[in-house]
Amino acid sequence: MTTVTSPLNGRAIGLAAVPDPVFSGAMVGPGTAVDPVREPSAAVAPVDGVVVSLHPHAFVVVDSEGHGVLTHLGIDTVQLNGDGFELLVNKGDTVTRGQAVVRWNPAAVEEAGKSPICPVIALEATADALGDVREEGDLKTGDTLFTWQ
């Protein structure tokens, strides 16, 4: 079983509250979302694994069980073309849970007219494969978001 932890400090809001139909409709996969604290921070790896996809606004870490976890920093933030995001690792790097992956500022994302809400998605999973999904309440970086069978 994989335990997926929060990449950020903030508040769990669940996918249904994400202002994007692709994420709120779980079309990318099941999971939850974090409404981050509005201060500069580093998004961290939610699992131990290998960084298989890395963009300024999103990254995927695949763990030893083959579970890929997408962390998407904000909504429509690809349109910012990397402005305000700093990559701290490289694609192909092995990372440990809690290791900083991307530095960013959710307040600056919001000022640029984008939502800073961060979906955390279990790629290629079925909804019934997830357990203990956090959809409300305050979160600290490293708190459990969900488990994945």
Side-chain angles (χ1 to χ4, degrees), residues 3-11 34 42-48 71 96-100 120 134 138-147:
T3 297
V4 177
T5 57
S6 183
L8 301 156
N9 289 327
R11 189 170 48 88
V34 179
V44 305
V47 293
D48 294 341
T71 300
T96 55
R97 179 191 315 276
Q99 181 176 341
V120 180
R134 286 281 301 271
D138 292 338
L139 292 168
K140 294 281 185 221
T141 301
D143 286 354
T144 298
L145 288 179
F146 55 85
T147 57

Side-chain angles (χ1 to χ4, degrees), residues 1-2 126-134 144-149:
M1 183 172 67
T2 298
T126 58
D128 60 1
L130 304 190
D132 305 316
V133 179
R134 286 281 301 271
T144 298
L145 288 179
F146 55 85
T147 57
W148 185 353
Q149 293 290 358

Side-chain angles (χ1 to χ4, degrees), residues 17 27 29 31 44 46 62 70 75 81 93 110 121-122 130 138-139 146:
M27 290 182 241
V44 305
V62 175
L70 167 67
I75 301 301
N81 297 314
D93 284 359
E110 207 163 46
I121 305 296
L130 304 190
D138 292 338
L139 292 168
F146 55 85

Side-chain angles (χ1 to χ4, degrees), residues 14-81:
L15 284 186
V18 175
D20 180 294
V22 172
F23 287 113
S24 64
M27 290 182 241
V28 181
T32 191
V34 179
D35 188 2
V37 173
R38 303 300 195 268
E39 61 189 23
S41 64
V44 305
V47 293
D48 294 341
V50 176
V51 179
V52 298
S53 180
L54 179 66
H55 303 277
H57 66 282
F59 57 91
V60 175
V61 179
V62 175
D63 74 2
S64 61
E65 295 183 41
H67 292 154
V69 180
L70 167 67
T71 300
H72 202 283
L73 301 176
I75 301 301
D76 296 330
T77 44
V78 66
Q79 297 167 3
L80 300 176
N81 297 314

